[in-house]
Amino acid sequence: MRRFAMAVATYAGCGLFAQICAWLGFLPPWLPTWWCVGAAVVNTLFYLAIRSGYNLRLRDPSMTELQLVASMVAVMVLVYHADAARGALLMLFPVPLLFGVLRLRLLQMLRVGLVAVAGYAVVIVVLLVREPQRIELNLELVNLLSLSAVMVFVALMCAYISRVRVELSRSLAKIEDMAQMDALTGVFNRRHLDATLLLELQRWGRRSRSGLVLCMVDVDHFKQINDTYGHAVGDDVLVAVAQALGTSIRANDYLARFGGEEFVILLDMSSAEDWLTVCERARRQIEVLQIAAIDNTPVRISMGVALCAHGDTAATLLERADKALYRAKAEGRNCIRVAPESTAITAS
């Protein structure tokens, strides 16, 4: 819609230019008004196609190429009636191609450019057949040659810029992914967790989800692993734990590294049996891990669980889960404990 609005503004500018040409005597006085009416009708059709969703059925939902072809036809109408100012109005042909920078590939750009060149050639032929007194053939052929060269050059440059834009978009997406992913474990990081938790709390408040459960996970005796085997091996353990947690939760659940050896899992469910099944599966998945770097020493996790309640914020939900995690640590580790404020059952 932003590109469509820019296109409408461009049509308005061309309409004003056509009116000035008419005042100066280079276009028929009636032409600018009817030209603007035709442009309004065409753009209304494009607007209705976008608003109704009909454009989504097309191969190119933006209809960029189709809109550019329509604009080329509009320019041809002005060029046909321009007579002495025909050469000046040819400068309007490259303008629509600039919109193609936002969407089109080289072949599409060249197709649109070909429409402009072919359209001008048709204008020359029609004038030559119907009103030869209005045309100087040699001059028009020079104009046609110049237009062809300009359109090819503009199409090549616009296509190049479009390709660079796509590459930059991909690079930006990669940077955004890197900014929200934990570099070591490959799961979401604390920054992404904070944003996601706020969003999920809003969804829960609107009843867009049945229940929100936050699980704080901590690797038991992780400092001992680091002290015994070194930090590099400790990193390997964290990667293995993250992978095991990721495979034990469901596709619509959420996993992030909270910091150090702590992870957070967000579950969308209200039944204690449901979330407990997922948590217990994750705990057992870690329990059976075989990590050669630590001589297959068993890895254990403790989990603190908080069920979202009315009045909870991101901070209070994390705090409740953290207190439940400390209880799990104090009561022997390798177990699941629920925040006392919750009405859910406590499980071992």
Side-chain angles (χ1 to χ4, degrees):
M1 288 304 300
R2 284 194 297 268
R3 290 197 295 271
F4 174 77
M6 292 169 59
V8 171
T10 304
Y11 273 106
C14 289
L16 177 61
F17 180 65
Q19 184 60 62
I20 293 173
C21 290
W23 286 336
L24 296 176
F26 293 111
L27 287 174
W30 55 267
L31 181 60
T33 300
W34 285 105
W35 188 89
C36 289
V37 170
V41 170
V42 171
N43 280 287
T44 298
L45 293 176
F46 281 122
Y47 176 83
L48 293 175
I50 294 172
R51 279 304 183 188
S52 66
Y54 176 80
N55 60 310
L56 299 178
R57 306 177 189 176
L58 306 176
R59 180 175 299 179
D60 177 16
S62 70
M63 301 183 292
T64 301
E65 187 173 0
L66 185 59
Q67 292 186 69
L68 296 190
V69 170
S71 65
M72 294 297 180
V73 173
V75 174
M76 290 176 206
V77 173
L78 296 178
V79 169
Y80 177 83
H81 293 89
D83 291 340
R86 191 172 295 120
L89 288 176
L90 289 180
M91 297 176 63
L92 297 177
F93 273 121
V95 174
L97 280 182
L98 299 179
F99 287 87
V101 172
L102 303 173
R103 192 74 184 179
L104 302 185
R105 300 183 301 275
L106 175 60
L107 180 59
Q108 294 172 301
M109 290 281 198
L110 291 176
R111 281 204 301 256
V112 175
L114 180 60
V115 169
V117 174
Y120 185 46
V122 170
V123 168
I124 294 173
V125 172
V126 171
L127 287 173
L128 193 62
V129 172
R130 297 183 58 186
E131 302 175 84
Q133 72 279 3
R134 290 178 53 201
I135 187 172
E136 185 178 343
L137 183 58
N138 289 340
L139 178 59
E140 300 297 346
L141 291 177
V142 171
N143 286 341
L144 180 63
L145 181 62
S146 175
L147 177 64
S148 302
V150 169
M151 295 302 282
V152 170
F153 176 77
V154 172
L156 290 173
M157 290 302 299
C158 288
Y160 172 75
I161 295 172
S162 180
R163 188 171 69 251
V164 171
R165 180 187 62 83
V166 171
E167 292 173 354
L168 288 175
S169 297
R170 290 173 179 169
S171 298
L172 179 60
K174 185 176 181 180
I175 291 172
E176 290 176 344
D177 286 342
M178 293 172 62
Q180 63 187 12
M181 304 302 288
D182 178 60
L184 175 63
T185 61
V187 301
F188 291 113
N189 59 18
R190 175 67 183 274
R191 177 183 178 184
H192 190 269
L193 169 65
D194 291 341
T196 301
L197 186 53
L198 289 174
L199 179 63
E200 294 303 324
L201 282 169
Q202 292 172 1
R203 288 182 58 204
W204 182 83
R206 297 192 304 266
R207 296 296 186 269
S208 298
R209 59 185 302 161
S210 56
L212 178 61
V213 180
L214 188 147
C215 310
M216 187 79 76
V217 181
D218 184 88
V219 180
D220 293 336
H221 303 296
F222 184 72
K223 183 178 183 303
Q224 183 178 335
I225 294 175
N226 274 337
D227 292 343
T228 303
Y229 299 99
H231 289 278
V233 173
D235 288 346
D236 292 340
V237 171
L238 289 178
V239 171
V241 168
Q243 291 175 348
L245 290 174
T247 57
S248 62
I249 62 177
R250 304 165 307 170
N252 60 328
D253 294 328
Y254 176 89
L255 172 64
R257 186 181 180 190
F258 189 72
E261 69 273 22
E262 291 184 328
F263 297 85
V264 166
I265 299 173
L266 294 179
L267 306 174
D268 182 9
M269 53 184 60
S270 55
S271 169
E273 291 76 12
D274 289 341
W275 65 257
L276 182 57
T277 298
V278 176
C279 291
E280 185 61 25
R281 182 169 62 241
R283 190 187 66 81
R284 292 185 182 278
Q285 188 88 352
I286 302 301
E287 200 172 32
V288 298
L289 274 180
Q290 299 291 319
I291 303 177
I294 57 174
D295 303 323
N296 293 325
T297 301
V299 178
R300 302 286 187 263
I301 59 171
S302 299
M303 301 182 70
V305 179
L307 276 66
C308 187
H310 290 291
D312 261 329
T313 64
T316 60
L317 194 60
L318 285 168
E319 181 182 4
R320 290 172 54 215
D322 195 44
K323 287 181 179 179
L325 176 62
Y326 274 103
R327 276 187 56 212
K329 291 287 190 181
E331 296 178 11
R333 294 184 170 86
N334 190 29
C335 60
I336 303 167
R337 291 294 181 265
V338 184
E341 295 85 353
S342 172
T343 58
I345 62 171
T346 301
S348 296

